[in-house]
Amino acid sequence: MKSGTPQGGIISPILANMALDGLETRLKQTFSASQRKRRRTKLHMVRYVDYFIVTGYSREFLEKEVKPQIETFLAQRGLKLSINKTRIIHVEEGFDFLGFSIRRYSNKLLTKPSRESFKSLLDKIRASIKSHPTAKSLNLIRLLNPVIIGWSNYYRHTLPKWYLRMLTMLFGPLCRAGQKDGIPRNVCND
């Protein structure tokens, strides 16, 4: 008989939140006791369910001081860091977090949709079009609009012009084909 909670189960995010509760406080108490120390370490933590990122002023600081603190905290709760998912990198190399690609380009921090996220959107669009080969343009537009609008709304604060142009290039021919079928222009603009 197996015990434990299945990953991806309904209770899993709640348990992860309960287990990680207090990690940020522990890190702040250990490394940011004073205002001066807080500015020097540049230690910050962002957490979402069982995903979290910790930033600091140097790789050595994160590897030698912060990571052992996190491992100790998790060990007290019977958990450990995943070797495959744990990375210590410079922000100029960039990393993906919750579908966003975060990277610094010449002293400017840019957040944009990750390549995997954009590829996933394109795969959904392709699958919808292929699964409805005889559908009229209007029906395809009505089918794809919520998918594209939902994706765009999720990334609305970071969506670069390039992604919007790509979506227009993909969706534009479908709208033009629909206009030949007698679909009003405002349907494509919803």
Side-chain angles (χ1 to χ4, degrees), residues 2-16 48-51 79-82 84-85:
K2 290 185 177 182
S3 64
T5 305
Q7 186 174 356
I10 295 172
I11 196 76
S12 183
I14 296 168
L15 293 174
Y48 182 78
V49 187
D50 58 345
Y51 299 102
L79 301 170
K80 61 181 181 176
L81 286 175
S82 168
N84 299 334
K85 295 181 181 179

Side-chain angles (χ1 to χ4, degrees), residues 37-105:
K37 202 172 187 184
R38 205 170 306 140
R39 271 189 257 128
R40 187 180 63 80
T41 61
K42 298 180 182 176
L43 185 72
H44 299 283
M45 180 179 163
V46 178
R47 182 178 96 185
Y48 182 78
V49 187
D50 58 345
Y51 299 102
F52 63 92
I53 57 172
V54 179
T55 62
Y57 74 95
S58 74
R59 179 185 295 264
E60 293 79 29
F61 170 67
L62 292 171
E63 283 177 351
K64 294 178 180 163
E65 295 183 43
V66 177
K67 188 177 176 187
Q69 283 289 328
I70 293 171
E71 288 171 340
T72 304
F73 179 86
L74 293 175
Q76 292 170 348
R77 287 153 177 77
L79 301 170
K80 61 181 181 176
L81 286 175
S82 168
I83 296 169
N84 299 334
K85 295 181 181 179
T86 304
R87 295 180 12 198
I88 297 178
I89 59 166
H90 197 278
V91 74
E92 288 179 357
E93 294 174 41
F95 60 93
D96 291 350
F97 184 64
L98 301 175
F100 291 91
S101 179
I102 302 165
R103 187 173 178 183
R104 186 170 70 193
Y105 297 94

Side-chain angles (χ1 to χ4, degrees), residues 106-120:
S106 62
N107 292 331
K108 192 178 258 189
L109 186 69
L110 294 180
T111 306
K112 61 183 184 178
S114 67
R115 288 176 192 233
E116 291 81 21
S117 174
F118 192 66
K119 185 181 178 308
S120 169

Side-chain angles (χ1 to χ4, degrees), residues 64-183:
K64 294 178 180 163
E65 295 183 43
V66 177
K67 188 177 176 187
Q69 283 289 328
I70 293 171
E71 288 171 340
T72 304
F73 179 86
L74 293 175
Q76 292 170 348
R77 287 153 177 77
L79 301 170
K80 61 181 181 176
L81 286 175
S82 168
I83 296 169
N84 299 334
K85 295 181 181 179
T86 304
R87 295 180 12 198
I88 297 178
I89 59 166
H90 197 278
V91 74
E92 288 179 357
E93 294 174 41
F95 60 93
D96 291 350
F97 184 64
L98 301 175
F100 291 91
S101 179
I102 302 165
R103 187 173 178 183
R104 186 170 70 193
Y105 297 94
S106 62
N107 292 331
K108 192 178 258 189
L109 186 69
L110 294 180
T111 306
K112 61 183 184 178
S114 67
R115 288 176 192 233
E116 291 81 21
S117 174
F118 192 66
K119 185 181 178 308
S120 169
L121 172 70
L122 295 180
D123 291 344
K124 273 185 194 174
I125 291 171
R126 281 187 199 105
S128 294
I129 291 172
K130 284 181 181 177
S131 66
H132 299 89
T134 60
K136 289 191 173 196
S137 300
L138 177 62
N139 294 336
L140 269 179
I141 291 168
R142 285 188 177 148
L143 184 72
L144 294 175
N145 245 355
V147 173
I148 294 171
I149 289 172
W151 189 87
S152 299
N153 282 338
Y154 182 72
Y155 294 104
R156 71 183 171 270
H157 298 294
T158 62
L159 205 56
K161 290 179 184 177
W162 182 85
Y163 285 99
L164 291 174
R165 263 187 259 129
M166 285 295 291
L167 288 174
T168 305
M169 280 179 18
L170 293 169
F171 211 47
L174 189 59
C175 286
R176 285 189 293 279
Q179 288 169 358
K180 290 177 186 173
D181 293 344
I183 298 170

